[in-house]
PDB file of all heavy atoms in Angstrom:
ATOM      1  N   TRP A 973      84.644 125.210  88.891  1.00 66.00           N
ATOM      2  CA  TRP A 973      84.132 123.883  88.562  1.00 66.00           C
ATOM      3  C   TRP A 973      84.917 122.810  89.305  1.00 66.00           C
ATOM      4  O   TRP A 973      84.351 121.895  89.888  1.00 66.00           O
ATOM      5  CB  TRP A 973      84.193 123.662  87.059  1.00 66.00           C
ATOM      6  CG  TRP A 973      84.145 122.228  86.653  1.00 66.00           C
ATOM      7  CD1 TRP A 973      85.131 121.524  86.051  1.00 66.00           C
ATOM      8  CD2 TRP A 973      83.074 121.294  86.847  1.00 66.00           C
ATOM      9  NE1 TRP A 973      84.743 120.205  85.857  1.00 66.00           N
ATOM     10  CE2 TRP A 973      83.471 120.049  86.343  1.00 66.00           C
ATOM     11  CE3 TRP A 973      81.807 121.390  87.422  1.00 66.00           C
ATOM     12  CZ2 TRP A 973      82.664 118.920  86.374  1.00 66.00           C
ATOM     13  CZ3 TRP A 973      81.002 120.248  87.444  1.00 66.00           C
ATOM     14  CH2 TRP A 973      81.431 119.041  86.923  1.00 66.00           C
ATOM     15  N   LYS A 974      86.236 122.933  89.306  1.00 63.00           N
ATOM     16  CA  LYS A 974      87.067 121.937  89.978  1.00 63.00           C
ATOM     17  C   LYS A 974      86.899 122.016  91.489  1.00 63.00           C
ATOM     18  O   LYS A 974      86.916 120.991  92.172  1.00 63.00           O
ATOM     19  CB  LYS A 974      88.533 122.096  89.574  1.00 63.00           C
ATOM     20  CG  LYS A 974      88.771 121.664  88.137  1.00 63.00           C
ATOM     21  CD  LYS A 974      90.207 121.828  87.719  1.00 63.00           C
ATOM     22  CE  LYS A 974      90.377 121.393  86.263  1.00 63.00           C
ATOM     23  NZ  LYS A 974      91.716 121.663  85.768  1.00 63.00           N
ATOM     24  N   LYS A 975      86.698 123.221  92.030  1.00 59.00           N
ATOM     25  CA  LYS A 975      86.438 123.356  93.467  1.00 59.00           C
ATOM     26  C   LYS A 975      85.146 122.629  93.838  1.00 59.00           C
ATOM     27  O   LYS A 975      85.076 121.935  94.855  1.00 59.00           O
ATOM     28  CB  LYS A 975      86.331 124.831  93.862  1.00 59.00           C
ATOM     29  CG  LYS A 975      87.653 125.545  93.977  1.00 59.00           C
ATOM     30  CD  LYS A 975      87.439 126.986  94.386  1.00 59.00           C
ATOM     31  CE  LYS A 975      88.741 127.746  94.346  1.00 59.00           C
ATOM     32  NZ  LYS A 975      88.563 129.171  94.630  1.00 59.00           N
ATOM     33  N   ALA A 976      84.111 122.788  93.011  1.00 65.00           N
ATOM     34  CA  ALA A 976      82.832 122.125  93.269  1.00 65.00           C
ATOM     35  C   ALA A 976      82.994 120.604  93.202  1.00 65.00           C
ATOM     36  O   ALA A 976      82.477 119.870  94.057  1.00 65.00           O
ATOM     37  CB  ALA A 976      81.785 122.585  92.265  1.00 65.00           C
ATOM     38  N   TYR A 977      83.734 120.134  92.194  1.00 63.00           N
ATOM     39  CA  TYR A 977      83.975 118.696  92.056  1.00 63.00           C
ATOM     40  C   TYR A 977      84.704 118.159  93.287  1.00 63.00           C
ATOM     41  O   TYR A 977      84.347 117.114  93.825  1.00 63.00           O
ATOM     42  CB  TYR A 977      84.782 118.395  90.794  1.00 63.00           C
ATOM     43  CG  TYR A 977      85.248 116.957  90.733  1.00 63.00           C
ATOM     44  CD1 TYR A 977      84.377 115.935  90.389  1.00 63.00           C
ATOM     45  CD2 TYR A 977      86.554 116.620  91.063  1.00 63.00           C
ATOM     46  CE1 TYR A 977      84.798 114.612  90.361  1.00 63.00           C
ATOM     47  CE2 TYR A 977      86.985 115.299  91.038  1.00 63.00           C
ATOM     48  CZ  TYR A 977      86.102 114.309  90.678  1.00 63.00           C
ATOM     49  OH  TYR A 977      86.518 113.007  90.665  1.00 63.00           O
ATOM     50  N   GLU A 978      85.728 118.892  93.731  1.00 61.00           N
ATOM     51  CA  GLU A 978      86.514 118.470  94.896  1.00 61.00           C
ATOM     52  C   GLU A 978      85.608 118.369  96.135  1.00 61.00           C
ATOM     53  O   GLU A 978      85.731 117.436  96.923  1.00 61.00           O
ATOM     54  CB  GLU A 978      87.650 119.454  95.190  1.00 61.00           C
ATOM     55  CG  GLU A 978      88.510 119.760  94.007  1.00 61.00           C
ATOM     56  CD  GLU A 978      89.805 118.993  94.006  1.00 61.00           C
ATOM     57  OE1 GLU A 978      90.261 118.608  95.064  1.00 61.00           O
ATOM     58  OE2 GLU A 978      90.328 118.798  92.912  1.00 61.00           O
ATOM     59  N   THR A 979      84.725 119.325  96.308  1.00 60.00           N
ATOM     60  CA  THR A 979      83.831 119.325  97.469  1.00 60.00           C
ATOM     61  C   THR A 979      82.910 118.117  97.430  1.00 60.00           C
ATOM     62  O   THR A 979      82.731 117.428  98.438  1.00 60.00           O
ATOM     63  CB  THR A 979      83.013 120.631  97.506  1.00 60.00           C
ATOM     64  OG1 THR A 979      83.921 121.738  97.558  1.00 60.00           O
ATOM     65  CG2 THR A 979      82.090 120.672  98.698  1.00 60.00           C
ATOM     66  N   ILE A 980      82.341 117.844  96.272  1.00 65.00           N
ATOM     67  CA  ILE A 980      81.428 116.703  96.124  1.00 65.00           C
ATOM     68  C   ILE A 980      82.183 115.392  96.313  1.00 65.00           C
ATOM     69  O   ILE A 980      81.733 114.499  97.034  1.00 65.00           O
ATOM     70  CB  ILE A 980      80.712 116.747  94.753  1.00 65.00           C
ATOM     71  CG1 ILE A 980      79.765 117.942  94.703  1.00 65.00           C
ATOM     72  CG2 ILE A 980      79.969 115.447  94.484  1.00 65.00           C
ATOM     73  CD1 ILE A 980      79.239 118.264  93.329  1.00 65.00           C
ATOM     74  N   ALA A 981      83.344 115.268  95.675  1.00 61.00           N
ATOM     75  CA  ALA A 981      84.132 114.037  95.784  1.00 61.00           C
ATOM     76  C   ALA A 981      84.528 113.788  97.237  1.00 61.00           C
ATOM     77  O   ALA A 981      84.455 112.663  97.727  1.00 61.00           O
ATOM     78  CB  ALA A 981      85.371 114.118  94.896  1.00 61.00           C
ATOM     79  N   SER A 982      84.932 114.848  97.919  1.00 58.00           N
ATOM     80  CA  SER A 982      85.334 114.718  99.317  1.00 58.00           C
ATOM     81  C   SER A 982      84.161 114.299 100.195  1.00 58.00           C
ATOM     82  O   SER A 982      84.294 113.445 101.077  1.00 58.00           O
ATOM     83  CB  SER A 982      85.918 116.040  99.803  1.00 58.00           C
ATOM     84  OG  SER A 982      86.254 115.950 101.156  1.00 58.00           O
ATOM     85  N   ALA A 983      82.992 114.886  99.961  1.00 59.00           N
ATOM     86  CA  ALA A 983      81.809 114.574 100.758  1.00 59.00           C
ATOM     87  C   ALA A 983      81.399 113.116 100.616  1.00 59.00           C
ATOM     88  O   ALA A 983      80.926 112.497 101.563  1.00 59.00           O
ATOM     89  CB  ALA A 983      80.649 115.484 100.371  1.00 59.00           C
ATOM     90  N   PHE A 984      81.583 112.555  99.420  1.00 59.00           N
ATOM     91  CA  PHE A 984      81.188 111.173  99.177  1.00 59.00           C
ATOM     92  C   PHE A 984      82.336 110.187  99.382  1.00 59.00           C
ATOM     93  O   PHE A 984      82.173 108.984  99.173  1.00 59.00           O
ATOM     94  CB  PHE A 984      80.615 111.020  97.764  1.00 59.00           C
ATOM     95  CG  PHE A 984      79.230 111.581  97.647  1.00 59.00           C
ATOM     96  CD1 PHE A 984      79.027 112.828  97.079  1.00 59.00           C
ATOM     97  CD2 PHE A 984      78.137 110.884  98.127  1.00 59.00           C
ATOM     98  CE1 PHE A 984      77.755 113.365  96.981  1.00 59.00           C
ATOM     99  CE2 PHE A 984      76.864 111.408  98.029  1.00 59.00           C
ATOM    100  CZ  PHE A 984      76.673 112.650  97.457  1.00 59.00           C
TER     101      PHE A 984
END
Side-chain angles (χ1 to χ4, degrees):
W973 160 246
K974 289 179 181 174
K975 283 181 187 175
Y977 170 77
E978 308 260 335
T979 302
I980 293 167
S982 177
F984 285 101

